[in-house]
Amino acid sequence: MLICRDFTFDAAHHLTAYKGKCENVHGHTYRLRVCIEEGVKEDGLAFDFVKLKEIVKERVVDVLDHSDLNDRFSQPSCENIAVWAWDRLKGELNLHEIWLWESPDTFVVYRGEG
């Protein structure tokens, strides 16, 4: 069973190794989807949505929300942020994939490889 929950956070950044508009400081309302894989237990639940929210907010959302991502990443691309989020969560959750949108129609999906 895949258990997924969406989160949002706002942050500013500029891409340091990029030529174009995104090399200038700008902000996004990011949308983060965290999907974990668990079997359904005897109580009919695979994983408590409340617990999932607590873990992701503490380990990822509250760290990045209303921050300058360049203070944390040398190149704060959507790809690098997704890998960082995966690394922050992998010890706590049985991750399946992470989706990270930086706008309503642009996003990355990361499954823990490469």
Side-chain angles (χ1 to χ4, degrees):
M1 181 76 60
L2 293 182
I3 306 299
C4 303
R5 185 157 187 155
D6 286 359
F7 304 85
T8 60
F9 62 92
D10 297 299
H13 75 149
H14 66 278
L15 297 179
T16 57
Y18 184 83
K19 296 298 178 204
K21 287 171 52 171
C22 293
E23 68 185 307
N24 299 315
V25 176
H26 61 285
H28 295 286
T29 296
Y30 290 89
R31 180 173 156 205
L32 172 68
R33 176 172 293 158
V34 175
C35 296
I36 63 172
E37 193 164 1
E38 294 288 343
V40 177
K41 316 244 181 343
E42 198 170 287
D43 64 2
L45 302 175
F47 197 87
D48 186 345
F49 285 115
V50 173
K51 184 70 172 167
L52 180 59
K53 178 182 177 182
E54 290 171 358
I55 293 168
V56 175
K57 278 188 55 54
E58 177 187 325
R59 305 284 299 151
V60 177
V61 174
D62 291 348
V63 175
L64 299 180
D65 191 36
H66 284 80
S67 72
D68 180 345
L69 298 175
N70 290 81
D71 292 343
R72 182 168 304 281
F73 304 94
S74 61
Q75 176 69 332
S77 65
C78 210
E79 295 87 343
N80 286 336
I81 298 165
V83 171
W84 176 86
W86 181 279
D87 289 344
R88 299 272 299 172
L89 296 170
K90 69 182 177 187
E92 301 273 339
L93 300 167
N94 186 26
L95 293 170
H96 175 73
E97 62 190 15
I98 288 178
W99 297 47
L100 181 64
W101 286 261
E102 79 172 16
S103 72
D105 57 2
T106 57
F107 60 95
V108 299
V109 178
Y110 184 63
R111 295 188 177 116
E113 68 264 341

